[in-house]
Amino acid sequence: MVQPLVESIAAEADPEVAATLARFFQVRPGGYGEGDVFVGLKLSRLRVLARPYTRTPVDPADWLPLLHSPVHEHRLACLVIWSERAERGETAERAAIAELYLANTDRVNNWDLVDASAGPIVGGRILDPDGDHALLDRLARSALLWDRRIAMVATHQLIRAGVTADTYRIAELLLDDNHDLIHKAVGWMMREAGKRVDEAELLAFLDRWAGRMPRTALRYAIERLDPDTRRHYLGQRAG
């Protein structure tokens, strides 16, 4: 199953798109995507190519070679397939996907890979009756940047189910993180929790922590609030 998809990706590869993506995802020396290889396919097209492989249960191990490919689009295709099956599959299939995903988070190594997969795979698994919410805390304390972003973005699936406690707990754990990609994820999930579930919860968190939050996280979190409220929380910034 893997090889036909690899061939489909190769057939549609576009060097100009690859160059644009490489710049956008910081493949340059010192960038967070340093060393990654793009062939030039956007996520929307990858989803179309992957769709036939998502309609029936999968053994996630069959797709692991794609996740270990040096090609970014191969890794993304694997994660799209796993994520679709995590949404559609029975508990046993979701558990198998999550287990293999968590054993290979070093290969989920750019923000688009995390954002396409953490919610359905990790967040969805946590929502299962035997789900372990403490998994998010372990990921949030990891030295690996991508684990920490997974911890935060995974809560999007919980927010969609009306569960916000994990979002705010992990946001608090990550208050002092020094990476911009974590600041963005924290603010994004807080904004989503306030928008989708309870704005009062968001305001209560901000009342306590706005002065300590990184500027980027704070701006993302307050984006949908009214102008006066945004100015109030921006004014809480510590010196």
Side-chain angles (χ1 to χ4, degrees):
M1 289 189 294
V2 172
Q3 192 56 34
L5 181 54
V6 168
E7 291 171 1
S8 296
I9 292 170
E12 298 200 22
D14 184 329
E16 291 187 7
V17 174
T20 299
L21 292 173
R23 287 193 298 272
F24 186 68
F25 289 104
Q26 297 195 16
V27 170
R28 68 179 188 276
Y32 54 74
E34 181 177 3
D36 208 347
V37 177
F38 285 84
V39 297
L41 236 68
K42 295 181 179 178
L43 175 59
S44 57
R45 186 57 189 161
L46 274 175
R47 288 194 184 280
V48 173
L49 296 180
R51 191 171 297 146
Y53 305 96
T54 68
R55 292 171 180 158
T56 57
V58 300
D59 179 348
D62 290 343
W63 296 97
L64 195 57
L66 280 188
L67 192 62
H68 283 267
S69 169
V71 175
H72 186 97
E73 290 90 343
H74 292 173
R75 303 198 303 282
L76 185 54
C78 171
L79 294 169
V80 165
I81 291 166
W82 282 3
S83 296
E84 289 290 330
R85 291 311 309 166
E87 294 269 25
R88 302 179 186 185
E90 300 296 331
T91 301
E93 185 181 4
R94 293 200 303 273
I97 290 168
E99 181 179 4
L100 207 52
Y101 180 89
L102 291 166
N104 291 274
T105 54
D106 62 320
R107 305 303 300 157
V108 188
N109 55 351
N110 214 312
W111 63 260
D112 64 322
L113 303 179
V114 172
D115 295 0
S117 60
I121 295 175
V122 178
R125 180 67 182 126
I126 288 169
L127 286 170
D128 282 336
D130 61 341
D132 177 14
H133 291 251
L135 168 61
L136 297 174
D137 302 70
R138 295 194 292 273
L139 289 167
R141 292 186 172 99
S142 171
L144 183 64
L145 165 65
W146 309 116
D147 281 350
R148 303 197 305 276
R149 188 166 173 108
I150 287 168
M152 196 69 248
V153 176
T155 71
H156 196 220
Q157 200 83 354
L158 283 71
I159 292 167
R160 289 171 57 192
V163 178
T164 58
D166 298 276
T167 299
Y168 293 112
R169 186 181 73 259
I170 301 306
E172 185 174 340
L173 282 176
L174 294 172
L175 279 175
D176 296 322
D177 200 283
N178 62 7
H179 204 289
D180 184 62
L181 289 177
I182 302 302
H183 303 168
K184 290 176 179 178
V186 168
W188 170 29
M189 288 302 107
M190 289 176 57
R191 183 186 69 214
E192 289 297 296
K195 177 181 74 172
R196 290 175 175 263
V197 183
D198 189 343
E199 186 175 289
E201 277 189 318
L202 171 60
L203 297 179
F205 187 94
L206 292 171
D207 286 341
R208 184 176 183 187
W209 296 114
R212 183 169 150 191
M213 289 175 65
R215 194 74 166 184
T216 298
L218 180 58
R219 287 193 175 276
Y220 272 55
I222 65 176
E223 192 172 49
R224 294 182 63 87
L225 302 178
D226 66 78
D228 287 342
T229 305
R230 292 200 302 270
R231 282 192 290 272
H232 166 74
Y233 286 116
L234 287 170
Q236 301 303 305
R237 291 288 303 160

